[in-house]
Amino acid sequence: MGADNQTWVGEFILLGLSNNWSTQVSLFILFLITYLVTVLGNFLIVLLIILDSRLHTPMYFFLTNLSLVDVFYATTVVPQMLVHFLAAHKIIPHVSCAAQLFFSLGLGGIEFVLLAVMAYDRYVAVCNPLRYSVIMHGGLCMRLAVISWVSGSVNSLLQTAITFQLPMCTNKFIDHISCELLAVVRLACVDTSSNEVAIMVSSIVLLMTPFCLVLLSYVKIISAILKIRSTEGRKKAFQTCASHLTVVILCYGMAILTYIQPRSNPSVLQEKLISLFYAILTPMLNPMIYSLRNKEVKGAWQKLLGKLSGLSSKLAT
């Protein structure tokens, strides 16, 4: 292949979801509302955890990290998508595309590791409750959180570097809603076997390994719950894990189907839907799941609303 063809394009064009103007306006309104709900919901969860001393526990420390990851992930993808819904030319500069890939891939990896850490926390809470505070001390929680953030960031840096070293020739049309890893790799005009191997290795390290740890934790948790004699005791033990388990099912399922076998070439529509799922639906649902299915969070909400109601009454009088 000639040297003239192996060039790096200065900008990309994201094809997005639709070319129809009225459809794009409708999607803009829908996703704007969803994004605002996502940001508000997650920040309210973080604020609630900070204000209520009863929530100053390892579980809610990790939930704070998860909520921040969700906000950052949505912010990495959605605002640019909203702009493109109303733009005539859906251009994204090369540097911006690389930055978007780095942050979205990194935050996704951080979330997977965090979910495995949270599964370990639930395992200790159910299987070793008397030593929970000793095992899950502040130093360990901080180290686990740092490992989550560093591992996701390092993996993302490596993947972004090797992806944007690929010559894209004259290809600049990304048939996606964002600069997603597989969509960008497909633009290359050279053999991408080494990139596919790197994606596979990354998937095993940051997706399948945490997923297996989650499965192992829940096998032990379920085994411990089944040994509890009272129905009320089993119900209470399961409730401590229900919210986390729901989020795990939401987050891991589609990611495994997408990234664990990059050669399987999932349809472009499937990739777009999965990206929307992670950028919009999951970050919006996570605070709702933890608010509606967790007694401690609901109790904290009631306490906070009671205080606000009392303050309003005093101000009114």
Side-chain angles (χ1 to χ4, degrees):
M1 187 174 291
D4 291 340
N5 289 331
Q6 294 194 17
T7 58
W8 280 263
V9 296
E11 62 187 23
F12 298 99
I13 297 175
L14 291 166
L15 298 183
L17 292 172
S18 172
N19 290 323
N20 182 274
W21 173 248
S22 60
T23 301
Q24 291 186 82
V25 172
S26 300
L27 290 173
F28 172 85
I29 296 171
L30 174 63
F31 292 150
L32 176 61
I33 294 172
T34 305
Y35 175 67
L36 294 176
V37 171
T38 296
V39 173
L40 179 62
N42 280 285
F43 276 141
L44 283 176
I45 285 286
V46 173
L47 181 62
L48 184 69
I49 292 171
I50 292 172
L51 293 177
D52 196 317
S53 59
R54 295 175 300 175
L55 302 182
H56 294 175
T57 64
M59 175 181 176
Y60 295 105
F61 169 73
F62 296 128
L63 178 57
T64 298
N65 280 265
L66 184 64
S67 293
L68 292 175
V69 168
D70 283 339
V71 170
F72 295 153
Y73 191 99
T75 302
T76 299
V77 176
V78 179
Q80 164 262 310
M81 185 171 62
L82 293 175
V83 170
H84 280 188
F85 280 139
L86 304 181
H89 304 288
K90 308 179 191 306
I91 294 171
I92 182 169
H94 184 278
V95 174
S96 298
C97 188
Q100 187 179 64
L101 175 60
F102 169 75
F103 285 111
S104 60
L105 195 61
L107 291 163
I110 293 166
E111 181 155 10
F112 293 138
V113 180
L114 266 178
L115 289 173
V117 169
M118 294 173 78
Y120 174 71
D121 172 74
R122 293 299 82 204
Y123 157 73
V124 176
V126 173
C127 299
N128 209 341
L130 298 179
R131 300 188 66 240
Y132 177 75
S133 59
V134 175
I135 297 173
M136 299 302 296
H137 56 85
L140 177 62
C141 293
M142 185 60 69
R143 286 195 292 272
L144 291 173
V146 169
I147 288 171
S148 301
W149 286 84
V150 170
S151 58
S153 300
V154 169
N155 170 71
S156 179
L157 181 62
L158 294 174
Q159 289 289 347
T160 303
I162 63 175
T163 298
F164 278 88
Q165 285 181 350
L166 291 170
M168 304 299 178
C169 302
T170 57
N171 298 335
K172 63 178 182 177
F173 292 93
I174 301 177
D175 193 3
H176 211 279
I177 62 170
S178 65
C179 290
E180 195 270 341
L181 180 60
L182 298 179
V184 175
V185 168
R186 277 198 294 268
L187 298 183
C189 54
V190 295
D191 179 55
T192 59
S193 298
S194 58
N195 292 77
E196 291 173 357
V197 171
I199 293 171
M200 178 68 73
V201 172
S202 171
S203 300
I204 292 172
V205 173
L206 277 185
L207 180 56
M208 290 309 299
T209 300
F211 180 65
C212 289
L213 292 175
V214 170
L215 286 181
L216 179 61
S217 296
Y218 273 100
V219 167
K220 292 179 178 285
I221 288 170
I222 292 171
S223 176
I225 290 175
L226 292 177
K227 292 178 183 178
I228 299 175
R229 294 183 179 181
S230 69
T231 304
E232 186 63 27
R234 286 196 296 268
K235 182 180 179 181
K236 184 177 179 181
F238 180 74
Q239 284 177 343
T240 66
C241 308
S243 298
H244 176 260
L245 186 58
T246 305
V247 173
V248 163
I249 293 170
L250 285 173
C251 289
Y252 279 107
M254 290 188 181
I256 291 174
L257 293 176
T258 304
Y259 288 107
I260 200 63
Q261 291 183 329
R263 286 185 176 275
S264 63
N265 295 323
S267 69
V268 172
L269 177 60
Q270 180 183 332
E271 288 184 6
K272 290 180 182 181
L273 292 177
I274 291 171
S275 292
L276 286 173
F277 179 84
Y278 281 109
I280 295 176
L281 188 61
T282 301
M284 182 183 69
L285 289 178
N286 283 355
M288 295 182 183
I289 290 168
Y290 277 97
S291 294
L292 297 176
R293 301 199 55 147
N294 190 295
K295 286 185 177 180
E296 292 174 323
V297 174
K298 285 193 287 187
W301 278 123
Q302 291 169 358
K303 180 182 176 182
L304 180 60
L305 291 174
K307 287 183 177 180
L308 292 176
S309 177
L311 182 60
S312 299
S313 299
K314 289 182 180 179
L315 292 174
T317 55

